[in-house]
Amino acid sequence: MEANPKKHWRNSHAWEWHLKAASALLASVGDQSLEGTPEGKFCLQLFRYLDSMSTISRCKPPLLREGAKLTDLTADKSICSFSSAPVDAVSGMVPALLELLGMVNLLAAHRSRRVDELSELGFRTAASHVQSQLDAWRADYDSTAVTDHETAQVTTAFEWAVRLRLHQVVDGYDPHHEMVETAVSPILNAVMTIPYGSPVEGCLLFPLVIAGASSIDVERQMLVKERLMVMENTLGFGHISHARQLLETVWADEAERNWARVRYSLFPGMVFV
């Protein structure tokens, strides 16, 4: 690995500028108009996917919900549409899970405001509501979803990655916390059932990174590293090797388990798509 990972990221935030420009362009046209044509629907689906996934790097709510407040997470009406919408043809992911990921990172944007008992209570109340909505989504998904095996497994991996990220946002990065094992085990079990080169393999990057960064067991670390190396070849995108380098950096420093801080300081602007 190169001594200075930052050299990879001279233009690391260009994607964020493009995403904001795309958001403004889509807003000027309007969702209703875009939904009326196949091309417009494709653009909307692609943007919603990229917008949701970008929240991992930005630790902010999706641009589509830029004005959202912490209190929106505890409103009677959920900001997440728990529909039985089929898997998104563009992303290969259940749309509701992408919305839930955005909710987790809306919560993340408010971490610095936990300054007293009252703000801590409000923060944890909002987090509890997000947790409840994840549980409600899973119950709805189990009762209505009809998917093939690989889609079901990648959905499980992504779901537990979102749950683990929610835990980290609220309670930190202690790798010995019981929630870590609760989440990492189903992520890696699901990953191992998905064949190399599967059409859903591209959805595994975020689950692999968060599971790998949370693993102190060398065998698990090697499992994640091997899968990422395979994906470097099967998918061919350069940012997958950067994800592997991120994990190697985290694993090399046993005192620093906060992979998000490492990403921010050494791999700014890294994307997980």
Side-chain angles (χ1 to χ4, degrees):
M1 185 174 64
E2 297 186 23
N4 182 16
K6 273 192 174 180
K7 70 185 292 184
H8 292 298
W9 307 100
R10 285 191 295 268
N11 299 312
S12 61
H13 292 290
W15 62 265
E16 189 172 354
W17 302 333
H18 291 304
L19 200 61
K20 288 181 177 179
S23 177
L25 182 61
L26 293 177
S28 69
V29 177
D31 286 6
Q32 193 168 8
S33 297
L34 291 166
E35 290 282 6
T37 66
E39 297 83 2
K41 187 175 293 186
F42 171 83
C43 288
L44 269 179
Q45 289 179 338
L46 178 59
F47 178 79
R48 287 168 180 163
Y49 168 60
L50 296 175
D51 190 23
S52 294
M53 295 305 294
S54 76
T55 65
I56 304 169
S57 299
R58 297 189 298 112
C59 287
K60 294 178 181 178
L63 294 173
L64 288 176
R65 302 193 185 280
E66 200 164 17
K69 302 179 178 63
L70 190 64
T71 52
D72 292 333
L73 297 178
T74 56
D76 290 337
K77 184 177 181 181
S78 168
I79 65 170
C80 180
S81 56
F82 292 112
S83 64
S84 301
V87 170
D88 189 297
V90 174
S91 67
M93 188 49 57
V94 178
L97 263 186
L98 296 175
E99 288 190 48
L100 284 159
L101 175 62
M103 293 168 68
V104 170
N105 287 304
L106 167 58
L107 191 68
H110 289 79
R111 282 175 294 184
S112 62
R113 302 177 191 179
R114 302 162 74 177
V115 296
D116 53 31
E117 289 186 7
L118 185 60
S119 58
E120 179 70 17
L121 177 61
F123 184 86
R124 287 188 174 273
T125 299
S128 178
H129 277 255
V130 176
Q131 177 73 52
S132 296
Q133 294 193 50
L134 269 163
D135 295 341
W137 166 80
R138 169 47 75 175
D140 181 64
Y141 181 81
D142 285 342
S143 66
T144 60
V146 179
T147 60
D148 61 38
H149 173 74
E150 291 177 26
T151 299
Q153 291 302 307
V154 77
T155 299
T156 294
F158 201 93
E159 172 199 354
W160 280 103
V162 173
R163 289 181 183 274
L164 181 52
R165 185 62 188 141
L166 174 61
H167 161 73
Q168 292 176 344
V169 167
V170 177
D171 291 311
Y173 296 83
D174 179 3
H176 302 288
H177 193 286
E178 62 180 357
M179 178 56 188
V180 174
E181 176 60 28
T182 299
V184 169
S185 183
I187 291 173
L188 296 184
N189 287 341
V191 167
M192 287 189 291
T193 69
I194 297 172
Y196 295 155
S198 165
V200 303
E201 198 169 40
C203 298
L204 293 178
L205 185 58
F206 171 50
L208 282 168
V209 168
I210 198 167
S214 303
S215 297
I216 55 177
D217 179 77
V218 174
E219 287 188 13
R220 283 183 165 178
Q221 292 175 0
M222 291 304 100
L223 186 156
V224 170
K225 181 177 179 178
E226 178 186 346
R227 189 57 183 257
L228 288 174
M229 292 176 71
V230 169
M231 289 166 60
E232 289 174 35
N233 292 319
T234 56
L235 299 177
F237 298 125
H239 66 283
I240 298 174
S241 65
H242 299 153
R244 175 172 53 80
Q245 292 169 26
L246 165 64
L247 288 177
E248 289 170 345
T249 303
V250 172
W251 294 333
D253 185 358
E254 295 182 2
E256 177 58 278
R257 307 306 306 185
N258 186 338
W259 67 273
R261 182 181 296 150
V262 174
R263 182 207 56 75
Y264 179 81
S265 60
L266 295 180
F267 299 84
M270 182 175 177
V271 292
F272 293 88
V273 296

